[in-house]
Amino acid sequence: MCTVDLDVVESAPGAAGRVPTPVQLSAYRVVQEALANVHRHSTARSARAVVRVDEAAGCLEVEVVDDGTARGGTAGTGLGLMGMRE
């Protein structure tokens, strides 16, 4: 089991709530898939997800990091985060 911390960093109060709904959903799915990958493919005991919203720049950034290393024999199919790129 892995503990997870989540931080939302906004350029202005409420900025995350003003992100268009489809973009919010996409960010949610990216974080969800990244954390699932940490669970499946890493020895991590903790992970941290940071979502940054910069309204002036029109940007939303997601960062997920963990404290583990890759577990052997857990190669993916390429349909997770890489598949989301499309």
Side-chain angles (χ1 to χ4, degrees):
M1 181 177 257
C2 181
T3 61
V4 177
D5 290 315
L6 170 67
D7 288 312
V8 177
V9 180
E10 302 172 299
S11 60
R18 293 187 289 274
V19 171
T21 301
V23 177
Q24 288 182 16
L25 181 58
S26 294
Y28 174 86
R29 283 289 297 122
V30 167
V31 170
Q32 183 182 42
E33 183 66 22
L35 292 174
N37 285 345
V38 168
H39 178 71
R40 286 185 201 114
H41 306 291
S42 173
T43 63
R45 297 189 66 191
S46 66
R48 178 181 200 87
V50 180
V51 178
R52 295 178 189 89
V53 180
D54 185 339
E55 282 184 295
C59 294
L60 183 144
E61 177 182 271
V62 172
E63 177 183 30
V64 178
V65 295
D66 66 67
D67 65 355
T69 59
R71 281 194 279 158
T74 61
T77 62
L79 299 175
L81 289 174
M82 293 298 285
M84 287 184 178
R85 186 177 303 198
E86 296 175 11

